[in-house]
Amino acid sequence: YVLTDGNPKWERKNLTYRIVNYTPDMNSADVDKAIQKAFKVWSDVSPLIFKIIYDGNADIMISFETGDHRDNSPFDGPDGFLVHAFQPRNGIGGDVHFDEAEYWTKGSNGYNLFLVVAHELGHSLGLSHSTDPGALMYPTYSYTEPNEFRLPQDDINGIQTVYGHSGNPIQPTGPTTPVTCDHKLTFDAVATMRGELLFFKDRYFWRKHPQMTEVQLNFISLFWPNLPSGIQAAYENTERDQIFLFKENKYWVLSGYDLVYNHPKSIYDLGFPKNVKRINAAFNDENSGKTYFFVGGKYWRYDENRQSMDQGYPKKIIDEFRGISKNIDAAFQYGRYIYFFIGTRQFQFDPNVKRVVSVMKSNSWFNC
Amino acid sequence: SSSAFPVAPETEDEDKNIQLVKTYLQNFYKLETDKQSRFKSKNIKPLTEKLKEMQVFFGLKVTGKPDVDTLEVMKKPRCGVPDIGQ
């Protein structure tokens, strides 16, 4: 996190705000709700208290403006920069101006008002932009499902440096951004996708081309705004050019960057019994057209051609994959090997000799 | 019809990218505009230095050149508050 030059801050803990005008893009009740929710993001983790007023001068005046709106920082039309806010001070200090040329929404289309207000209020309270790509105070816009939003730890640290902790007996904590070369890195799911490798963790995924050295960390929502974070298993059916992503008892199907179905499907459609609540890992064996699903210490085998589970399953993982214990985090097939991820370790399994031939760090693909 | 020799598309793109880089650095990294720098001492950090500052901020490869990754970040929608300074 970065505190604004000169460490400006409000000396009072009780601050007022006023919504001066409304965007025609949303109904005003949704604007009120988005802004109120954004203030709560910061009041939950600090001693600050915010109160709305409906006329006169508030500490934080929120308005929608177009082009040159006489604050020496004219807007630039659609996209580009979306909004700006002023650091704590009297007068224009603390105020937030939205570019009306943008399309403001309460969903994933256009720009989500709640997320942008929450970011700007960080400036109104004395924070500058953070260099942590997972922080709310990172300069570029990225969508997160508002109901899944939790203020990242980096932002909590920043605001508490300025104003101290909230009175809350239980100090709230937030998500931290995974570090690509952290030797303790673990994954939620791994899958191939059109020759690349996708490593999923929380709301992020790394994209890695086996022949390239760079690895890119992205938000899942950057490519697939309607996918949840915390994907638990994933595999690619190369024949159908589709990726299957699993979370709890649902799954989503991607074809490239498109969701094949608008809504998630049920894993019970694949033939799982109702006592299976989630899948730990999955991989598709291109040679046989069979997909292996791992749940606890057992695995199922699914026939992609017949589109049904094979008879006689589940079986014990240890019986087929010697050396691979239970509670696999992720798995994928690459070349002749199958790679199993368990915590910080990765097991390279050779199905021809039916044993583990090498053990590596889970993030060994990142050339750290 | 214009007598000017038509700009080759890649040159046009290049000019556009240079303008994008300058505007971005002026908005968010306090790169001085040509007008400002004309009246100030010459020890201002040239565009390359400012570009490196931006690449460091975003964890990009620090090349001082407007490479693909850098331009991609500059084209992303963002907050209008500068990344350095007030």
Side-chain angles (χ1 to χ4, degrees):
Chain A
Y1 64 88
V2 177
L3 306 187
T4 299
D5 277 8
N7 293 2
K9 64 180 280 190
W10 298 97
E11 293 314 324
R12 285 168 284 118
K13 296 286 190 280
N14 286 281
L15 299 171
T16 57
Y17 73 92
R18 181 180 155 205
I19 305 171
V20 179
N21 63 1
Y22 284 79
T23 170
D25 303 342
M26 296 166 66
N27 73 52
S28 52
D30 288 334
V31 172
D32 291 340
K33 231 183 287 177
I35 292 174
Q36 185 186 26
K37 182 179 166 80
F39 275 104
K40 188 173 184 301
V41 162
W42 296 106
S43 56
D44 279 354
V45 295
S46 71
L48 296 170
I49 296 168
F50 302 105
K51 182 169 161 287
I52 187 167
I53 62 174
Y54 297 93
D55 50 37
N57 267 324
D59 298 310
I60 296 174
M61 302 283 265
I62 296 172
S63 59
F64 292 83
E65 312 284 354
T66 306
D68 185 349
H69 50 287
R70 298 168 309 287
D71 67 359
N72 196 29
S73 304
F75 282 133
D76 59 350
D79 300 323
F81 48 91
L82 315 173
V83 59
H84 53 228
F86 295 84
Q87 60 195 60
R89 206 179 55 197
N90 294 328
I92 197 170
D95 292 2
V96 179
H97 297 163
F98 289 92
D99 186 351
E100 187 45 74
E102 312 303 345
Y103 179 46
W104 298 104
T105 75
K106 62 176 183 179
S108 61
N109 52 338
Y111 295 106
N112 183 278
L113 185 66
F114 156 69
L115 294 169
V116 177
V117 178
H119 172 105
E120 293 312 308
L121 292 178
H123 293 310
S124 305
L125 299 173
L127 295 182
S128 272
H129 284 145
S130 171
T131 56
D132 176 339
L136 172 63
M137 294 311 291
Y138 197 63
T140 51
Y141 175 83
S142 60
Y143 177 72
T144 300
E145 163 54 50
N147 296 328
E148 285 193 2
F149 177 83
R150 287 174 56 219
L151 187 63
Q153 191 58 45
D154 180 75
D155 304 291
I156 294 174
N157 297 343
I159 201 70
Q160 290 185 348
T161 302
V162 183
Y163 296 99
H165 288 208
S166 70
N168 191 329
I170 306 155
Q171 275 314 311
T173 57
T176 53
T177 306
V179 177
T180 303
C181 285
D182 175 0
H183 68 281
K184 296 193 300 296
L185 191 59
T186 62
F187 297 114
D188 298 339
V190 184
T192 54
M193 180 171 135
R194 296 181 176 175
E196 293 193 51
L197 298 175
L198 304 182
F199 295 80
F200 291 92
K201 183 159 183 80
D202 304 334
R203 54 195 181 119
Y204 303 92
F205 75 99
W206 286 266
R207 231 176 109 178
K208 172 75 174 63
H209 195 288
Q211 275 75 41
M212 316 271 277
T213 49
E214 283 92 45
V215 61
Q216 242 183 34
L217 177 64
N218 293 291
F219 285 109
I220 293 173
S221 62
L222 180 65
F223 289 79
W224 305 289
N226 298 320
L227 276 189
S229 57
I231 296 293
Q232 294 166 336
Y235 76 89
E236 177 183 25
N237 178 321
T238 44
E239 228 162 76
R240 291 187 359 219
D241 184 28
Q242 289 181 339
I243 313 271
F244 293 74
L245 302 167
F246 296 78
K247 181 173 184 180
E248 310 308 340
N249 57 11
K250 298 189 193 67
Y251 72 93
W252 291 257
V253 185
L254 300 180
S255 180
Y257 299 120
D258 302 319
L259 268 177
V260 173
Y261 310 105
N262 273 335
H263 299 288
K265 295 166 80 73
S266 163
I267 61 171
Y268 305 119
D269 298 349
L270 297 171
F272 283 103
K274 289 292 184 187
N275 65 336
V276 170
K277 302 301 179 197
R278 59 158 286 174
I279 295 166
N280 293 114
F283 76 85
N284 173 262
D285 175 3
E286 275 184 31
N287 312 311
S288 63
K290 304 283 188 182
T291 295
Y292 292 77
F293 291 104
F294 300 87
V295 180
K298 296 181 181 151
Y299 75 100
W300 274 259
R301 198 178 69 183
Y302 180 84
D303 188 309
E304 295 284 348
N305 303 317
R306 280 189 298 109
Q307 300 260 296
S308 65
M309 277 308 176
D310 283 349
Q311 295 303 312
Y313 290 86
K315 292 180 177 176
K316 280 190 177 169
I317 295 173
I318 199 81
D319 293 347
E320 177 68 20
F321 303 96
R322 195 153 34 98
I324 303 298
S325 67
K326 59 185 179 184
N327 292 335
I328 300 165
D329 291 333
F332 72 98
Q333 180 189 53
Y334 193 73
R336 63 182 275 194
Y337 298 110
I338 299 157
Y339 296 86
F340 290 100
F341 295 78
I342 301 174
T344 59
R345 296 200 296 169
Q346 181 189 176
F347 298 82
Q348 185 183 36
F349 184 87
D350 184 341
N352 301 314
V353 298
K354 286 193 179 297
R355 66 181 177 79
V356 173
V357 293
S358 171
V359 181
M360 303 161 278
K361 297 295 292 163
S362 286
N363 59 356
S364 67
W365 294 84
F366 295 167
N367 313 310
C368 291
Chain B
S1 66
S2 156
S3 58
F5 191 77
V7 175
E10 61 277 4
T11 319
E12 194 172 338
D13 271 359
E14 227 166 274
D15 293 348
K16 238 187 256 177
N17 285 340
I18 286 293
Q19 194 46 51
L20 165 76
V21 169
K22 274 175 96 172
T23 308
Y24 192 92
L25 295 176
Q26 284 161 1
N27 283 332
F28 305 116
Y29 286 82
K30 293 200 298 189
L31 172 71
E32 296 186 329
T33 60
D34 301 342
K35 190 168 52 170
Q36 286 165 327
S37 56
R38 206 175 302 138
F39 299 106
K40 283 263 184 82
S41 64
K42 281 295 169 211
N43 68 348
I44 56 162
K45 287 183 181 173
L47 186 139
T48 312
E49 287 310 302
K50 288 295 187 182
L51 190 47
K52 285 180 181 174
E53 264 183 69
M54 177 262 175
Q55 289 169 330
V56 167
F57 187 96
F58 282 97
L60 297 164
K61 208 181 279 182
V62 182
T63 62
K65 293 184 180 61
D67 49 52
V68 172
D69 288 346
T70 301
L71 289 171
E72 190 180 317
V73 170
M74 288 185 167
K75 289 171 183 165
K76 286 186 175 177
R78 56 161 291 160
C79 170
V81 172
D83 293 337
I84 54 164
Q86 304 204 0

